[in-house]
Amino acid sequence: GAVVSQHPSRVICKSGTSVKIECRSLDFQATTMFWYRQFPKKSLMLMATSNEGSKATYEQGVEKDKFLINHASLTLSTLTVTSAHPEDSSFYICSARDRGSGHTQYFGPGTRLTVL
Amino acid sequence: GQQLNQSPQSMFIQEGEDVSMNCTSSSIFNTWLWYKQDPGEGPVLLIALYKAGELTSNGRLTAQFGITRKDSFLNISASIPSDVGIYFCAGFYSTNKLIFGTGTLLAVQP
């Protein structure tokens, strides 16, 4: 089946630094990738939709200057958390839509971000 | 915004018992999906439903897309310890965005 990877799986950083998270579709092309955020014992909340070669679409309440998204190729999207603060600590999960199979979305294993 | 409500919020059962959980929405959805998430992992797709009334099975799992297109249920038969996790329903309310339910935590005691 289709595989989506995320890197890193865990990251701990100091407040004020920026952190980049990569999401890759390993064996399929993804024109659209999605970034979700999940707090402990809560559901996944869609942050933004990342389209290859164009600007990301952010959900209401998500700061685009805070969470920079780049979808440079059909297999890679990156999320950069800029000037991270402790309240940005969360589990970030990406998903990728296989352009060859309609709406099917495959999820990555997630990245645990801890901001000290 | 769109919201999917799941119930129950959590379940604590004995191994071998059957489980049922459901998901409701105030809006019509075109596709219902059920995912399972293990701690520290991303969600894994269990069952996808594409038509109102559709009943689909995947091993011990069975899910149905409600006739009104505003609800869905997931049944797990003869539960085993590895069924432990959080189960999420999800649906597409437009062609592009997948919205997740509030989740049902399942604990199975051997």
Side-chain angles (χ1 to χ4, degrees):
Chain A
V3 177
V4 175
S5 71
Q6 278 184 243
H7 179 80
S9 58
R10 289 178 179 271
V11 56
I12 300 173
C13 69
K14 291 182 178 180
S15 186
T17 60
S18 294
V19 175
K20 180 185 284 188
I21 303 170
E22 293 185 348
C23 177
R24 293 181 185 273
S25 57
L26 297 185
D27 49 3
F28 66 97
Q29 293 184 328
T31 52
T32 305
M33 291 184 171
F34 303 86
W35 287 96
Y36 293 81
R37 182 174 183 176
Q38 186 178 31
F39 290 106
K41 299 183 181 176
K42 297 294 184 182
S43 186
L44 284 75
M45 300 301 295
L46 180 64
M47 297 175 66
T49 302
S50 170
N51 297 298
E52 187 263 338
S54 64
K55 290 184 179 180
T57 305
Y58 290 81
E59 294 301 300
Q60 191 173 8
V62 178
E63 300 175 61
K64 60 180 68 176
D65 295 330
K66 173 75 170 174
F67 299 100
L68 300 179
I69 292 173
N70 184 278
H71 193 154
S73 76
L74 286 172
T75 59
L76 173 65
S77 176
T78 60
L79 169 68
T80 301
V81 183
T82 62
S83 187
H85 287 94
E87 58 266 29
D88 297 326
S89 299
S90 190
F91 194 50
Y92 292 87
I93 306 173
C94 73
S95 70
R97 176 177 293 166
D98 184 348
R99 69 187 300 191
S101 61
H103 290 314
T104 305
Q105 279 185 229
Y106 301 95
F107 283 81
T111 296
R112 172 73 60 193
L113 170 63
T114 302
V115 184
L116 303 178
Chain B
Q2 301 295 326
Q3 188 169 2
L4 298 179
N5 298 306
Q6 277 185 249
S7 64
Q9 188 174 10
S10 60
M11 304 179 74
F12 299 88
I13 63 171
Q14 296 284 333
E15 182 177 2
E17 288 184 23
D18 296 341
V19 170
S20 184
M21 60 190 79
N22 74 293
C23 189
T24 59
S25 169
S26 57
S27 303
I28 290 175
F29 279 68
N30 295 319
T31 302
W32 285 93
L33 306 170
W34 284 93
Y35 288 86
K36 180 185 180 221
Q37 185 180 29
D38 292 328
E41 300 289 334
V44 174
L45 181 65
L46 300 174
I47 292 180
L49 302 162
Y50 300 104
K51 294 190 298 186
E54 180 179 351
L55 183 70
T56 298
S57 293
N58 178 9
R60 294 179 295 106
L61 278 61
T62 302
Q64 184 159 31
F65 193 148
I67 292 292
T68 64
R69 294 164 64 190
K70 292 183 178 182
D71 64 321
S72 176
F73 72 75
L74 174 71
N75 288 342
I76 304 173
S77 63
S79 59
I80 58 178
S82 62
D83 290 335
V84 165
I86 302 177
Y87 291 80
F88 289 103
C89 63
F92 283 102
Y93 77 93
S94 69
T95 58
N96 214 28
K97 297 180 184 178
L98 188 61
I99 303 301
F100 279 79
T102 49
T104 294
L105 171 66
L106 177 63
V108 180
Q109 187 168 358

